[in-house]
Amino acid sequence: MYLNCKTYFSFRYGTFATDELVNYGVEMGAAAMAITNINSTADTWDFYDSCKQAGIRPLLGVEIRNEDQFMYVLVAMNMNGVQKINLFLSQHLQYKTSFPERASITNDVWVVYALGTFSPDELAANELIGVQVSEVNKLMNAGCIAHPTKFVVRQPVTYKDATSYNLHRLLRAIDKNILLSKQEATHIAGNKETFIAPAKILEAFQKYPQIITNTLQVVDTCSYEIDFNKDKNKKVYSATLEDDRILLEKLAIDGMRYRFGTRNKEAQRRVAKELEIINKLGFNAYFLITWDVIRYAQSRGFFHVGRGSGANSVVAYCLQITDVNPIELDLYFERFLNPYRTSPPDFDIDFSWQDRDEVIDYIFKRYGKEHVALLGMFSTFQYNAVLRELGKVFGLPKHEVDAIANNPNATLLDDKIQRLILKYGNLMRNFPNYTSIHPGGMLISEEPIYQYTALEMPPKGFATTQIDMFGAEKVGLYKLDILSQRGLGHIKDAIQLVRQNKEISVDIHAVEKMKKDAKVAEQIRRADTIGCFYIESPAMRQLLKKLRCDSYITLVAASSIIRPGVSQSGMMRQYIERFHHPDGFEYLHPKMKELLEETYGVMVYQEDVIKVAHHFAGLDMGEADVLRRAMSGKYRGRKEFEKIRDQFFDNCKQFGYADELTKEVWRQIESFGGYSFSKAHSASFAVESYQSLFLKTYYPMEFMVAVINNFGGFYSTELYVHELRRAGAIVHAPCVNNSDELTNIESNQVYLGFVHIKSIEKDVIQQLLQERNNNGWYQSLEDLVKRTGIGQEQLNTLIRVGALRFTGKNKKELLWHANFFHKRVQHTAVAKATTLFEEPAKDFQLPVLYHSAMEDALDELELLGFPLCDPFSLVDADTNAFVKASQFEAHLGKQVDVLVYYITEKPVRTKKGDVMYFGTFIDSNGDWVDTVHFPDVAVKHRLTGRGYYHIRGKVVEEFGVYTLEAVWMKKLGLKQVV
């Protein structure tokens, strides 16, 4: 009966959650239902699973539309039909072509048209005409009598009741970006598209019992066989499963000799154990595919970092998938693989943002577009955005929309509209809004990918699944993460710059030497880490100082305890205290000392949680792995988490633990939810941090140029230029004769790249560089204009940024000459059309045009976004009148005044919901000043972004780190141009 049901995965149309649709169908007496979302099969497998659990028959299909025009419903008869539907969808969605009037699918799929679309005698065997309850009175003239087998019941289900119908209308208005009052009938579902009880449907079609029979026969023809517990990833890398086993063993043993030598018995034992389990669980191909991707990247000179739970594996270390030695770190093997685990271990492979797309392209070509896709994900409606969207739909002026978004309790003139916005905003929250791309997930399937999902083609240009990670895992497809990050770009480009500028080749993989390097250790201890991957943020720099971090092991711990789950629960502070006073505390329980002695009784890693769950609370490894996945956010809901929690408390009660002890241990576990790191993950980050630190320690100028050229990091380009200058570089403004598109370095001379100039056009940059490379340096302003044909506006921009200073003229003189010369060129072009000879231009004498350094700085602020001079030379204040960061120790506990330059801020909410800030600044010596602005001060004295601040506050200290607790603040201006 219900051959045309939709959920909210008919984006901005449907109103049912998937399980809600199934549950309501059961409540209404449905024995079978078809999922037919508009041009989407995104929740097919969730629907299938929900139906199976509810004891009703699932039918899998799709509703095809061209914009608002209903075309037909497709319902798969079997798994072949599912694949055909997904392929049909993909072909049109990827190439953005309209769907045909008649579906070009003949076998394994039912095609159901709307009543009146085609005459029944035109239809093929698998084509039918769907009749709604409201259309029964039209059947007499539709050919039903002559062709009784071609008609079925098609009762669309889009909403549940009047409230959800209103919600549907609002979703459609948002989709169309129109006022609700401007909505047309073609934009929305019919007013009868809801569940009608089976008895009422039978009553409506009592004169046409054949239609009921036809419908039931369609339902009976639909059957699907899919084993959710069976791995659907590509199973064979080489020719056979046995060949895969032999190849992986050979590669692992060869890699073990490279990593450990030939006499390391523990490595041999561990490799043999892992290979046995990898083979037993059927993951040989997964490892080989990952190795193949790494091998390709290495052949192209790309750098990578392998992380995720797979980094717990010695085999992964031997295959150079990761650079983390699990034996050195005593990584917990069961976090990597255990007999209870049905999904492959998780490899996250980071590449430079410049190289990632080529790696993805290789995977598509190597394993075939029929089997490879990027993983999709869903952007959802969130509360503030929903309120704004609904405000527009209801026609509220912007200031009223802002008022509601900023304060849902705000009182508007029309309380009724406000109540509606709040009501439907709550209902709409977390609805899927549109399909996007998972940050790095890729699927490589054994069967064609269309067996499980339709594919779309986002602007990125790689086919992307309609199902998300959870849908993929449900069906048995597990992602390989191919990620990008700027940090690897820093490393790659820095190595190239060192080779060019110093003729030195850096072995960036000699990580063991870096870990033992005294200068690198001192660099970490000082937290001189700006530009270094993962350890440059203000919070991380403070943590490194508090831990007096100078070793790899400590850095691994720091990489994890900085995560919100550990830090916000108070366990980060507890860890630091115990780190400094290892004999000054008591463990919660003797078992905790046995399990967590390395981390002073504090759960820092996911492995710690698994150990506690297994050895302290008696959960088996399968349950512990579910707990690990639930706490790392790899389940959609909290059902699994809650089930494990109940088991945890029951077990602890049986062991006789005190309730307070159990509650405290669980509190620490639960605080990890969504934020925890595996130890291997932290160790992988720490390896990259050491590589960055090594380059920053020994080649600071080249390293900072690489950071600037990769446009990535925690801070702005201005701060990285500041660091570059501190490293000894002489930084020059862009120059038409010395600059490139990106920033370059020769010896200690650095020229900023043209790319940093705001409003300069890319075509102009390319023309400048191409002409200079072909025909040499520019000799004068006139030479530049003649050779490049640069327009007046772009030329003026180059002059104002100082790019023509080689001429020896100041900017005002150059601007005068540039505009005069442009006019003369235009006049000459006209004159050449009427005369054979160009007349010499008359010379002229300019008056003295003065230009100040302050004017240069203001031009740089406008065109580059920051001045190239000392920023404190511009502030309207005496820098000597203020306390410097280097003097904080002498003023501990006292109130001082500082003059600082804004770098960044971090707003946080207190337990009461008030906003406070952590500020990061530099003083006139270039040293860091970290500030705390508690809620009462934050309200009275707001940080308003970039600029200079006079801050008054109390100097406080914690674990050797000095901070200023602000009590008063004032923003200062620039000096006047003289």
Side-chain angles (χ1 to χ4, degrees):
M1 312 286 194
Y2 308 105
L3 299 182
N4 192 191
C5 302
K6 291 185 275 289
T7 69
Y8 54 25
F9 283 98
S10 287
F11 299 99
R12 302 186 183 190
Y13 196 104
T15 60
F16 283 100
T18 309
D19 57 352
E20 181 189 7
L21 173 71
V22 174
N23 292 337
Y24 191 58
V26 171
E27 183 182 326
M28 293 298 292
M33 299 169 60
I35 184 71
T36 57
N37 281 312
I38 298 172
N39 298 346
S40 172
T41 57
D43 63 340
T44 291
W45 303 114
D46 284 331
F47 175 82
Y48 177 91
D49 191 31
S50 294
C51 286
K52 289 293 188 181
Q53 292 184 33
I56 67 173
R57 189 167 195 158
L59 279 68
L60 310 180
V62 67
E63 179 181 312
I64 300 297
R65 288 190 177 220
N66 286 326
E67 299 292 338
D68 293 329
Q69 183 184 2
F70 174 88
M71 304 302 291
Y72 32 82
V73 167
L74 303 177
V75 179
M77 300 179 190
N78 47 43
M79 291 301 291
N80 285 338
V82 171
Q83 181 171 331
K84 288 181 178 181
I85 287 174
N86 284 326
L87 179 58
F88 176 75
L89 262 179
S90 302
Q91 289 169 338
H92 292 280
L93 293 176
Q94 289 189 61
Y95 297 103
K96 297 179 173 56
T97 57
S98 296
F99 292 99
E101 289 187 3
R102 292 182 70 171
S104 55
I105 305 175
T106 54
N107 301 317
D108 302 312
V109 176
W110 290 110
V111 183
V112 184
Y113 299 101
L115 184 66
T117 306
F118 295 106
S119 173
D121 58 6
E122 298 179 64
L123 301 182
N126 68 319
E127 294 180 307
L128 302 167
I129 295 172
V131 185
Q132 300 184 36
V133 170
S134 60
E135 298 173 329
V136 173
N137 60 351
K138 300 178 182 178
L139 281 172
M140 290 297 293
N141 300 319
C144 180
I145 305 300
H147 302 276
T149 61
K150 302 307 289 182
F151 293 81
V152 292
V153 178
R154 180 181 73 89
Q155 178 54 39
V157 177
T158 302
Y159 48 85
K160 179 179 179 180
D161 50 28
T163 297
S164 55
Y165 178 62
N166 292 336
L167 180 60
H168 162 75
R169 289 191 60 205
L170 291 168
L171 286 166
R172 300 303 300 132
I174 290 172
D175 184 61
K176 295 292 184 182
N177 196 25
I178 58 174
L179 294 173
L180 193 60
S181 59
K182 299 291 186 183
Q183 199 163 64
E184 300 174 9
T186 55
H187 297 161
I188 58 177
N191 58 9
K192 302 291 185 183
E193 292 194 14
T194 187
F195 270 109
I196 297 176
K200 290 189 176 181
I201 293 178
L202 291 173
E203 181 183 346
F205 284 90
Q206 60 184 337
K207 293 182 180 180
Y208 305 96
Q210 181 68 46
I211 293 180
I212 300 296
T213 301
N214 297 340
T215 308
L216 295 176
Q217 287 175 345
V218 166
V219 171
D220 287 342
T221 62
C222 297
S223 179
Y224 319 95
E225 291 184 10
I226 184 167
D227 182 356
F228 282 169
N229 296 318
K230 187 177 180 181
D231 181 11
K232 309 298 189 307
N233 284 24
K234 185 171 176 59
K235 293 182 174 61
V236 179
Y237 169 76
S238 55
T240 67
L241 291 173
E242 179 61 13
D243 287 340
D244 280 359
R245 185 194 67 76
I246 294 169
L247 177 59
L248 182 61
E249 181 178 347
K250 179 184 184 305
L251 293 171
I253 292 172
D254 288 348
M256 180 182 65
R257 292 173 183 150
Y258 168 76
R259 292 288 201 183
F260 296 101
T262 57
R263 298 183 179 181
N264 191 314
K265 299 296 184 184
E266 175 59 21
Q268 292 172 8
R269 184 195 67 79
R270 178 81 174 256
V271 167
K273 178 183 178 181
E274 288 191 15
L275 285 172
E276 181 182 354
I277 293 180
I278 292 167
N279 182 59
K280 182 178 179 181
L281 295 178
F283 298 147
N284 289 326
Y286 187 82
F287 274 77
L288 290 170
I289 288 169
T290 308
W291 164 79
D292 175 61
V293 172
I294 299 302
R295 181 180 61 168
Y296 171 77
Q298 290 174 336
S299 74
R300 299 284 293 122
F302 300 161
F303 291 98
H304 80 280
V305 168
R307 49 187 178 86
S309 65
N312 287 57
S313 164
V314 170
V315 170
Y317 181 58
C318 292
L319 266 59
Q320 298 186 42
I321 295 171
T322 76
D323 281 318
V324 174
N325 182 345
I327 297 175
E328 173 192 16
L329 293 174
D330 190 27
L331 295 180
Y332 200 48
F333 178 68
E334 284 76 11
R335 171 63 180 88
F336 155 61
L337 273 183
N338 61 73
Y340 298 94
R341 183 166 185 164
T342 58
S343 62
D346 189 15
F347 283 125
D348 298 340
I349 312 297
D350 289 332
F351 294 97
S352 164
W353 62 283
Q354 299 165 314
D355 304 330
R356 175 177 177 250
D357 282 357
E358 184 176 329
V359 174
I360 291 173
D361 185 58
Y362 168 76
I363 295 171
F364 270 91
K365 289 173 178 172
R366 172 70 173 80
Y367 298 100
K369 64 180 182 179
E370 296 286 316
H371 299 270
V372 180
L374 298 188
L375 187 59
M377 63 183 294
F378 307 118
S379 175
T380 59
F381 282 108
Q382 294 304 305
Y383 193 59
N384 279 356
V386 170
L387 294 185
R388 292 185 183 279
E389 291 286 356
L390 291 176
K392 288 192 296 182
V393 166
F394 280 110
L396 292 184
K398 185 178 182 302
H399 69 274
E400 291 194 11
V401 175
D402 291 341
I404 296 176
N406 294 331
N407 178 16
N409 297 318
T411 302
L412 302 186
L413 294 176
D414 191 339
D415 289 340
K416 180 181 177 182
I417 295 293
Q418 183 177 352
R419 286 196 300 272
L420 289 172
I421 289 173
L422 296 177
K423 173 184 176 180
Y424 288 102
N426 274 313
L427 292 174
M428 200 182 299
R429 193 191 311 192
N430 293 325
F431 270 38
N433 188 9
Y434 55 85
T435 302
S436 60
I437 306 176
H438 185 278
M442 295 190 71
L443 301 179
I444 307 174
S445 62
E446 179 71 15
E447 299 296 326
I449 197 78
Y450 304 112
Q451 186 72 75
Y452 315 106
T453 179
L455 304 180
E456 298 186 7
M457 188 70 76
K460 194 168 185 64
F462 294 112
T464 303
T465 65
Q466 286 190 334
I467 56 174
D468 68 355
M469 177 180 78
F470 304 105
E473 289 191 356
K474 181 182 286 291
V475 82
L477 285 168
Y478 299 94
K479 63 184 173 64
L480 172 68
D481 278 318
I482 305 296
L483 302 150
S484 71
Q485 50 145 293
R486 302 277 172 168
L488 289 170
H490 301 169
I491 292 170
K492 176 183 175 182
D493 289 356
I495 291 170
Q496 291 176 344
L497 288 169
V498 169
R499 188 180 298 116
Q500 293 168 9
N501 198 38
K502 289 191 163 60
E503 297 184 348
I504 295 173
S505 293
V506 177
D507 182 3
I508 202 62
H509 298 293
V511 178
E512 295 306 315
K513 291 182 180 179
M514 298 174 190
K515 293 176 185 175
K516 299 170 185 175
D517 191 295
K519 288 185 178 180
V520 173
E522 176 58 26
Q523 192 94 356
I524 307 175
R525 194 180 302 114
R526 294 198 318 269
D528 188 0
T529 56
I530 300 302
C532 296
F533 173 74
Y534 201 70
I535 56 173
E536 65 168 334
S537 71
M540 193 64 176
R541 288 187 302 99
Q542 287 192 19
L543 177 60
L544 294 176
K545 286 183 178 180
K546 289 175 181 179
L547 291 173
R548 294 196 284 275
C549 179
D550 59 3
S551 71
Y552 174 64
I553 298 298
T554 307
L555 186 59
V556 171
S559 297
S560 191
I561 65 175
I562 196 69
R563 299 281 288 174
V566 184
S567 60
Q568 291 176 3
S569 66
M571 290 190 287
M572 181 172 79
R573 180 179 178 84
Q574 191 176 71
Y575 180 92
I576 298 169
E577 288 174 344
R578 294 179 177 187
F579 177 86
H580 289 292
H581 306 288
D583 300 321
F585 69 93
E586 290 185 8
Y587 288 88
L588 281 173
H589 188 274
K591 278 191 179 179
M592 290 300 192
K593 182 174 183 180
E594 179 185 333
L595 298 171
L596 302 175
E597 189 169 13
E598 179 190 335
T599 56
Y600 312 104
V602 177
M603 283 180 274
V604 170
Y605 310 110
Q606 285 182 1
E607 291 88 341
D608 296 334
V609 176
I610 292 174
K611 284 190 280 187
V612 169
H614 181 54
H615 297 287
F616 176 81
L619 299 181
D620 65 36
M621 288 308 303
E623 292 168 331
D625 194 54
V626 171
L627 175 61
R628 187 268 307 175
R629 290 174 61 76
M631 73 186 182
S632 62
K634 292 189 177 181
Y635 285 118
R636 269 205 189 98
R638 290 184 57 87
K639 291 179 182 177
E640 292 84 358
F641 202 44
E642 290 167 0
K643 180 180 176 182
I644 294 298
R645 179 190 62 193
D646 293 342
Q647 186 66 52
F648 182 94
F649 276 88
D650 288 345
N651 288 5
C652 287
K653 197 172 191 69
Q654 292 177 23
F655 291 151
Y657 299 141
D659 288 347
E660 291 306 313
L661 170 63
T662 304
K663 287 178 183 177
E664 174 56 23
V665 174
W666 182 257
R667 182 194 70 81
Q668 294 186 20
I669 288 175
E670 196 169 30
S671 69
F672 273 60
Y675 297 108
S676 56
F677 264 5
S678 70
K679 189 175 182 181
H681 204 98
S682 295
S684 301
F685 274 12
V687 166
E688 187 177 346
S689 297
Y690 259 90
Q691 292 170 323
S692 296
L693 276 163
F694 179 82
L695 292 167
K696 182 177 173 67
T697 302
Y698 286 96
Y699 311 102
M701 290 186 288
E702 290 83 1
F703 178 72
M704 292 315 304
V705 170
V707 172
I708 290 168
N709 283 343
N710 278 273
F711 308 96
F714 192 88
Y715 304 100
S716 66
T717 300
E718 178 180 13
L719 183 69
Y720 296 127
V721 170
H722 168 75
E723 283 290 300
L724 183 56
R725 201 178 282 112
R726 287 185 67 195
I730 299 172
V731 181
H732 301 278
C735 170
V736 295
N737 280 333
N738 292 285
S739 289
D740 298 315
E741 182 174 2
L742 298 176
T743 299
N744 62 39
I745 180 171
E746 185 173 347
S747 184
N748 68 337
Q749 304 294 310
V750 173
Y751 283 86
L752 289 180
F754 291 120
V755 71
H756 295 292
I757 307 173
K758 297 178 182 179
S759 76
I760 201 77
E761 296 170 4
K762 190 165 185 127
D763 288 347
V764 171
I765 296 174
Q766 296 305 318
Q767 175 66 19
L768 280 170
L769 296 175
Q770 184 176 345
E771 174 59 31
R772 191 182 75 194
N773 291 338
N774 291 341
N775 298 305
W777 278 17
Y778 300 105
Q779 302 302 312
S780 65
L781 181 149
E782 291 81 0
D783 182 44
L784 174 71
V785 175
K786 287 179 179 178
R787 287 166 57 184
T788 64
I790 187 171
Q792 185 172 318
E793 184 178 337
Q794 295 284 288
L795 179 60
N796 289 348
T797 298
L798 288 173
I799 291 171
R800 289 183 58 214
V801 85
L804 274 76
R805 57 191 179 278
F806 74 91
T807 61
K809 298 175 181 177
N810 71 35
K811 292 180 182 179
K812 289 179 181 174
E813 293 172 329
L814 282 169
L815 287 169
W816 207 101
H817 277 285
N819 286 281
F820 178 82
F821 184 69
H822 253 290
K823 289 179 181 176
R824 191 173 76 186
V825 168
Q826 292 169 357
H827 173 75
T828 301
V830 174
K832 280 184 177 179
T834 57
T835 181
L836 293 173
F837 302 102
E838 181 180 342
E839 296 181 10
K842 294 181 180 179
D843 203 3
F844 56 86
Q845 186 70 37
L846 281 177
V848 177
L849 300 174
Y850 295 102
H851 191 82
S852 69
M854 187 68 179
E855 288 175 295
D856 282 337
L858 293 175
D859 282 338
E860 289 159 2
L861 272 168
E862 179 184 341
L863 297 173
L864 297 176
F866 54 90
L868 291 174
C869 61
D870 174 6
F872 285 90
S873 67
L874 308 179
V875 65
D876 191 14
D878 180 6
T879 58
N880 295 319
F882 297 88
V883 172
K884 307 296 190 294
S886 59
Q887 301 169 313
F888 277 2
E889 185 176 0
H891 291 82
L892 183 62
K894 299 176 183 177
Q895 188 167 284
V896 299
D897 289 77
V898 297
L899 173 63
V900 290
Y901 187 58
Y902 175 90
I903 301 299
T904 189
E905 66 188 74
K906 181 182 179 181
V908 296
R909 287 196 178 272
T910 66
K911 291 181 179 179
K912 294 181 179 179
D914 299 322
V915 177
M916 61 177 290
Y917 294 88
F918 294 97
T920 304
F921 304 85
I922 57 172
D923 66 14
S924 57
N925 288 342
D927 294 325
W928 295 96
V929 175
D930 295 305
T931 62
V932 181
H933 305 252
F934 291 112
D936 55 337
V937 177
V939 170
K940 295 177 185 176
H941 308 286
R942 288 295 306 272
L943 281 169
T944 55
R946 179 184 184 151
Y948 305 90
Y949 291 87
H950 173 186
I951 303 178
R952 185 172 298 143
K954 178 183 176 182
V955 178
V956 297
E957 178 267 343
E958 184 179 50
F959 303 112
V961 174
Y962 293 90
T963 307
L964 194 68
E965 291 182 355
V967 298
W968 175 89
M969 182 172 65
K970 178 184 178 183
K971 195 169 188 178
L972 303 180
L974 300 175
K975 293 176 182 176
Q976 297 298 312
V977 178
V978 178

